[in-house]
């Protein structure tokens, strides 16, 4: 019986993973080692009971008493806090999904790699903030990283049996998010509620807003650069409103291999869960005749400056990824809190990158977790400078 852990179980990706595990037989098919979550401890406890998890951890220490009460008599251990999340990730499991949102996913992800485990990676920030460190750690310990972002899973699947040296470029697609068709002059007035409504995908609030600003795609471009070792000029982005083609790999002979599928995260999660085999998944099958047509356009960087910032960060190297990621998180926090406008997020990130570039050591890639976290703290302070009422 395979053992599994799900980090970030109560988020949208974690919920999809839970659905797949239960459909596959739940505790009869998998031994669940650890589940972690946030403030929704009632949901976390329900999942832990259903999967008979060995331990359930909430990242919120003040929720520990409630979690313990909800798990009383279940046989599942309860714990709380970031250190407990990392400890849960360090427990041996055959397969661990990292679906924690933000830089908080980096320390537990490294714990999985430290023990040489298989890390199914849905946390973009792990590779964006610490790509060289993470990939080196995986090589050193013999750990395996399987991409779970739909775009990177699509590239990974399209490259099976192919030689990466034959690839001319890869293309990842973007839906365009909530404001794809808005006039540019309206973007400064966009509300949090408007930015939180995605036209295609069912996701959490933060990633949905990142989709509207295209910062999610900016992170994915950097992630592709780090995971596949592709140079920035070999990574392209297309706006594809239908979200059916998730990525394409174009070879030197002019041929392209595209991965198509319904916009459902259970496909990428299920592929990673069953890899290298394929299993029946509860996702909609494509009916191309019913779809009728698929459309594409080049992204407008005046609308989505995040893509330019990602390209500049890749070219700069060093600590750029860690700074961009943390500054983006701070800017997103400030937008959600009403401190800045939607259109103020990219300038906040750019300001942080400019200030960081003047600091000693910026040109060197962070060599350990402490260095990544130091740049993370610097970037959040820099991004918050000059903010005012939205």
């Amino acid at each position: 019986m395979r053992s599994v852990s799900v980090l970030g179980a109560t988020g949208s990706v974690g919920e999809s993973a839970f659905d797949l595990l239960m459909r596959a037989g739940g505790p009869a098919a998998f031994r669940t080692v650890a589940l972690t979550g946030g403030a929704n401890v009632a949901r976390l406890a329900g999942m832990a009971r259903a999967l008979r998890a060995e331990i359930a951890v909430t990242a919120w220490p003040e929720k520990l008493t409630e979690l313990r009460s909800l798990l009383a008599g279940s046989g599942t251990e309860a714990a709380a806090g970031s250190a407990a999340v990392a400890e849960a990730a360090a427990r041996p499991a055959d397969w661990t999904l990292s679906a924690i949102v933000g830089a908080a996913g980096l320390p537990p992800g490294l714990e999985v790699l430290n023990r040489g485990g298989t890390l199914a990676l849905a946390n973009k920030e792990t590779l964006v903030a610490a790509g060289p460190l993470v990939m080196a750690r995986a090589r050193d310990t013999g750990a395996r990283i399987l991409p779970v972002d739909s775009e990177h899973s699509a590239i990974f699947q399209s490259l099976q049996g192919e030689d990466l040296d034959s690839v001319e470029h890869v293309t990842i697609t973007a839906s365009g998010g909530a404001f794809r068709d808005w006039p540019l002059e309206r973007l400064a007035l966009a509300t949090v509620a408007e930015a939180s409504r995605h036209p295609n995908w069912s996701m959490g609030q933060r990633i949905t807003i990142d989709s509207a600003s295209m910062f999610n795609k900016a992170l994915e471009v950097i992630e592709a650069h780090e995971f596949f070792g592709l140079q920035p000029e070999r990574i392209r982005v297309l706006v594809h409103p239908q979200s059916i083609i998730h990525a394409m790999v174009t070879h030197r002979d002019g041929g392209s291999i595209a991965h198509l599928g319904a916009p459902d995260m259970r496909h990428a999660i299920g592929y990673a869960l069953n890899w290298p085999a394929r299993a029946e998944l509860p996702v909609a099958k494509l009916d191309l005749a019913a779809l009728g047509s698929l459309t594409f356009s080049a992204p407008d960087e005046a609308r989505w400056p995040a893509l330019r910032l990602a390209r500049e960060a890749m070219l700069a190297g060093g600590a750029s990824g860690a700074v961009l990621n943390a500054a983006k998180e701070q800017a997103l926090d400030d937008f959600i809190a009403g401190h800045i406008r939607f259109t103020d997020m990219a300038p906040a990130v750019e300001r942080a990158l400019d200030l960081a570039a003047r600091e000693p050591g910026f040109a060197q890639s962070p060599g350990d977790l402490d260095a990544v976290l130091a740049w993370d703290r610097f970037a959040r302070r820099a991004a918050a400078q000059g903010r005012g009422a939205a």
Side-chain angles (χ1 to χ4, degrees):
M1 182 180 289
R2 291 178 68 201
S3 56
V4 300
S5 290
V6 179
L7 313 178
T10 55
S12 60
V13 174
E15 285 280 6
S16 292
F18 174 75
D19 177 71
L20 289 177
L21 292 171
M22 291 301 295
R23 287 174 183 265
F30 298 95
R31 179 172 67 87
T32 301
V33 176
L35 299 178
T36 78
N40 190 354
V41 292
R43 181 57 179 153
L44 178 61
M47 289 175 159
R49 284 181 174 274
L51 289 170
R52 300 177 195 165
E54 295 174 11
I55 185 170
V57 184
T58 170
W60 293 41
E62 63 271 26
K63 293 284 187 175
L64 179 57
T65 299
E66 183 182 355
L67 180 60
R68 279 181 174 153
S69 176
L70 290 164
L71 289 172
S74 68
T76 298
E77 180 184 351
S82 57
V85 172
E87 188 277 331
R91 295 191 178 200
D94 297 324
W95 184 89
T96 301
L97 174 65
S98 176
I100 297 172
V101 176
L106 176 58
L110 284 172
E111 291 292 346
V112 177
L113 300 180
N114 287 341
R115 59 174 169 79
T118 293
L119 178 64
L121 189 60
N123 174 272
K124 307 175 197 300
E125 294 80 4
T126 294
L127 285 175
V128 173
L133 171 64
V134 168
M135 298 306 289
R137 188 70 54 85
R139 288 191 297 271
D140 290 344
T141 64
R144 177 181 289 118
I145 303 175
L146 296 174
V148 173
D149 258 347
S150 59
E151 294 80 4
H152 303 90
S153 176
I155 296 172
F156 185 77
Q157 293 182 55
S158 298
L159 284 173
Q160 294 303 299
E162 300 288 347
D163 184 353
L164 188 62
D165 289 339
S166 76
V167 174
E168 180 183 273
H169 66 269
V170 301
T171 302
I172 59 178
T173 61
S175 68
F179 304 139
R180 178 180 62 220
D181 301 318
W182 279 38
L184 285 176
E185 60 272 15
R186 280 190 62 198
L187 292 179
L189 304 176
T191 67
V192 172
E194 289 169 330
S196 302
R197 292 192 287 267
H198 196 283
N200 299 345
W201 295 88
S202 176
M203 305 182 292
Q205 181 189 48
R206 296 179 70 83
I207 192 171
T208 303
I209 297 174
D210 280 346
S211 177
S213 67
M214 204 73 90
F215 264 112
N216 74 317
K217 208 56 52 178
L219 298 187
E220 288 168 9
V221 167
I222 298 173
E223 192 178 358
H225 166 62
E226 297 292 353
F227 186 84
F228 297 103
L230 294 166
Q231 294 306 305
E233 64 272 14
R234 296 172 70 192
I235 307 169
R236 302 180 182 180
V237 176
L238 272 180
V239 177
H240 171 44
Q242 295 83 14
S243 296
I244 296 300
I245 294 179
H246 304 302
M248 293 182 287
V249 174
T250 299
H251 292 273
R252 289 176 179 169
D253 61 7
S256 295
I257 299 173
H259 178 276
L260 288 74
D264 188 330
M265 279 301 299
R266 291 178 298 179
H267 181 95
I269 299 166
Y271 182 80
L273 179 62
N274 294 288
W275 184 88
R278 287 185 183 268
E280 186 76 20
L281 296 175
V283 299
K285 305 300 190 291
L286 285 183
D287 183 341
L288 294 179
L291 282 170
S293 64
L294 302 176
T295 59
F296 307 90
S297 62
D300 176 5
E301 292 191 5
R303 180 182 299 275
W304 295 300
L307 295 176
R308 171 181 58 82
L309 294 176
R311 187 168 57 251
E312 292 173 357
M314 287 187 292
L315 293 172
S320 296
V323 171
L324 183 147
N325 178 70
K328 187 278 298 182
E329 289 191 16
Q330 181 63 54
L332 179 58
D333 287 343
D334 288 341
F335 172 61
I336 292 173
H339 299 315
I340 63 174
R341 298 171 299 179
F342 179 80
T343 51
D344 292 329
M345 288 193 288
V349 174
E350 188 161 20
R351 178 170 63 248
L353 286 166
D354 288 344
L355 290 172
R358 306 172 195 173
E359 293 293 308
F362 176 76
Q364 283 75 51
S365 178
D368 55 34
L369 180 58
D370 287 342
V372 175
L373 296 179
W375 282 113
D376 185 285
R377 292 189 293 271
F378 175 93
R380 289 174 193 272
R381 290 193 301 270
Q385 289 179 14
R387 69 187 180 192

